[in-house]
Amino acid sequence: MDASAQRISQVPRVTERDVKIATWVCFFAWTFAVYDFVLFGNLLPKLAEDHGWSSSQSTGINTWVTIGTALVAFGVGPLVDKLGRRKGIIIAVIGAALASAMTAVAGWVVGAVAGLGIVLLILVRSVAGLGYAEQAINATYLNEMFAHVYSDPARARRRGLIYSLVQSGWPVGSVLAALSIYLLFPVGGWALCFIVAVFPAIFMVWAARYLKESPQFAVRHEAEKLMDQGRGEEATALAEAAGIDLANRSAPLTSAFTGEALRSTLVIGSAFLLSWLGVLTFSILGTSLLTAESGKNISFDNALAILIISNATAFAGYLFHGWLGDRIGRRNTIAIGWIFSGLSFSGMLLAPDGSYGLIIALYSAGLFFLIGPYSALLFFNGESFPVHTRATGGSIINAAGQIGAVIGGLLITFALASGHSWDQAAFIWGCLPIFASGIIILGARNVSPHQVRRD
């Protein structure tokens, strides 16, 4: 056996069982990360009520939190491209758990020392960006794992649907967050809701022991070690035997803005950024919009009920868009979904106050077409970058979503402070950007759903 063949034999081999374990671990890791991430936005009206914040003050605080989240999420990609996908998942899970625990502490500090407490709260919620980064890590990891098991044409056509089950952790986590508020808030207030979010992380760290590293990353990592040791021929032989291209050895962050990756970074990132103005408006700040007198003027309890119903609908949206992406391509699926989302939310804002059934139907449809396409988009990220910069490219796009939320937060805060109603602010800075994102994504390179990328 020659040296390269021997080294390839040492690379972790993945079986269908390994991929199934990875799929379930990623699903639960993402679900619990979303629980913490969404919980803050859902409880923001209660935090504002306790501490006497106005609507513009609470959205302003959320904007600073989003800036911190974007910075953390942006930094995760290069780390995962260096340390590995498995370690990245563990880091994200632990980070989200610590952020949940510290949020309760920071909230109490706000009550005692307002200014310092708000700064601490912003810093703590910024660390929660590790949980938000979980979806980009999952997409990178599972894209590479699926390539080694679901490689024949018939099974390759089911990859998007399978991944949509993982990404559906968003509506599942959102529903869990709403339910926890309903059950735990009367018992221990908003702090108890965050404290409970710590415990699932213990199970997740234990479960992560059963994850195998992605073979694509393992081969690339081993080949680069050989190159650094001056054993270029061995490194090239190893990479070629595994179908990995070693031509680009620049830093992953640099590679994301050169060659084939540049178009994906700019186009997908821009569309993702704009769509997140809508996510901020209708998902993260959904309770604020629904309960505000200048919004839909619905009671807090009824707003939570709407969130539960609409997020259950969004779960179906993930499966639908994952399935559709396997048939007409993920790029086209994303475009169709976001255009319909913009139209649905526009109709919801125009619905008369008190039209409870109509508001539920249109809000649910909006989330179905807004959140659902992310199951296609996250997997589309993995198809659009080589292994060398896959996690970094995905993290840049993922962080762009938080930049969009920052921009949206600033614009909505300014609109509310200037006397505009929630309905007006949500239409201009929510509906229109969602519609635009559906048009922009068509500029990305289309990828056949039957194509399996192993480089």
Side-chain angles (χ1 to χ4, degrees):
M1 181 183 293
D2 61 30
S4 63
Q6 184 177 7
R7 287 189 177 277
I8 289 178
S9 68
Q10 297 171 355
V11 171
R13 299 294 183 185
V14 295
T15 64
E16 187 165 348
R17 180 175 181 274
D18 295 327
V19 173
K20 287 181 179 178
I21 291 173
T23 301
W24 279 109
V25 170
C26 288
F27 167 76
F28 284 112
W30 177 229
T31 297
F32 296 131
V34 170
Y35 172 91
D36 169 77
F37 187 71
V38 172
L39 197 62
F40 181 72
N42 288 351
L43 286 171
L44 193 57
K46 291 299 182 182
L47 280 165
E49 182 181 314
D50 283 355
H51 300 300
W53 300 334
S54 66
S55 293
S56 59
Q57 283 178 309
S58 60
T59 55
I61 290 171
N62 190 72
T63 298
W64 282 108
V65 168
T66 307
I67 292 173
T69 300
L71 292 174
V72 172
F74 178 79
V76 167
L79 187 68
V80 173
D81 274 330
K82 182 176 179 60
L83 298 180
R85 302 6 178 162
R86 179 179 174 275
K87 290 181 180 177
I89 291 172
I90 295 173
I91 291 171
V93 167
I94 293 175
L98 290 175
S100 291
M102 290 302 297
T103 298
V105 176
W108 291 325
V109 174
V110 171
V113 188
L116 179 62
I118 290 175
V119 172
L120 178 60
L121 180 64
I122 291 171
L123 291 175
V124 167
R125 294 312 305 170
S126 296
V127 175
L130 287 170
Y132 170 73
E134 182 74 49
Q135 65 176 342
I137 303 172
N138 285 350
T140 297
Y141 179 55
L142 292 179
N143 199 287
E144 294 173 358
M145 294 290 278
F146 287 176
H148 287 266
V149 175
Y150 307 133
S151 54
D152 61 273
R155 304 185 78 188
R157 291 188 61 184
R158 297 200 298 269
R159 291 176 302 153
L161 178 59
I162 295 170
Y163 179 75
S164 71
L165 291 169
V166 176
Q167 192 61 21
S168 68
W170 178 280
V172 173
S174 296
V175 169
L176 287 176
L179 286 173
S180 73
I181 295 172
Y182 180 78
L183 296 174
L184 300 176
F185 187 83
V187 178
W190 51 264
L192 181 60
C193 298
F194 285 107
I195 291 172
V196 168
V198 177
F199 295 99
I202 300 172
F203 165 74
M204 293 311 307
V205 172
W206 172 81
R209 297 183 308 161
Y210 296 95
L211 294 178
K212 286 188 177 180
E213 184 55 88
S214 153
Q216 291 180 37
F217 172 82
V219 170
R220 174 82 192 202
H221 186 65
E222 183 63 25
E224 288 188 336
K225 284 172 59 178
L226 291 173
M227 292 288 284
D228 293 338
Q229 294 169 8
R231 299 158 68 180
E233 291 186 5
E234 288 184 55
T236 301
L238 170 62
E240 289 179 351
I244 303 295
D245 184 8
L246 279 182
N248 187 352
R249 293 202 65 219
S250 58
L253 188 58
T254 301
S255 299
F257 291 95
T258 58
E260 66 161 314
L262 177 62
R263 180 179 173 184
S264 298
T265 301
L266 295 181
V267 175
I268 303 176
S270 297
F272 199 75
L273 183 153
L274 286 172
S275 72
W276 254 89
L277 270 75
V279 173
L280 174 86
T281 303
F282 297 108
S283 184
I284 304 301
L285 297 178
T287 50
S288 298
L289 167 64
L290 293 172
T291 58
E293 289 185 10
S294 64
K296 305 318 296 178
N297 198 24
I298 295 172
S299 69
F300 185 75
D301 288 343
N302 285 336
L304 288 179
I306 290 177
L307 288 177
I308 292 172
I309 294 171
S310 58
N311 276 290
T313 306
F315 176 85
Y318 273 122
L319 301 186
F320 171 77
H321 289 89
W323 170 84
L324 187 62
D326 282 333
R327 280 148 183 80
I328 67 172
R330 289 172 242 290
R331 185 198 67 177
N332 299 336
T333 296
I334 298 162
I336 292 170
W338 283 344
I339 289 172
F340 275 104
S341 174
L343 295 174
S344 299
F345 281 129
S346 297
M348 189 271 291
L349 293 174
L350 292 172
D353 290 357
S355 304
Y356 194 67
L358 182 59
I359 290 173
I360 289 178
L362 291 173
Y363 192 83
S364 298
L367 283 183
F368 181 93
F369 289 115
L370 173 63
I371 304 297
Y374 286 114
S375 66
L377 188 140
L378 270 297
F379 202 80
F380 185 52
N381 284 351
E383 295 176 321
S384 301
F385 295 94
V387 63
H388 173 53
T389 190
R390 183 167 288 134
T392 299
S395 73
I396 292 171
I397 293 171
N398 203 34
Q402 290 300 281
I403 295 172
V406 170
I407 295 171
L410 290 172
L411 293 172
I412 289 175
T413 300
F414 177 77
L416 294 175
S418 301
H420 289 81
S421 69
W422 254 109
D423 280 346
Q424 292 170 333
F427 176 75
I428 297 171
W429 305 120
C431 296
L432 296 182
I434 293 172
F435 184 84
S437 67
I439 302 298
I440 290 174
I441 194 68
L442 291 172
R445 182 176 62 89
N446 201 18
V447 178
S448 169
H450 307 148
Q451 178 181 334
V452 177
R453 185 164 192 167
R454 303 191 64 164
D455 64 341

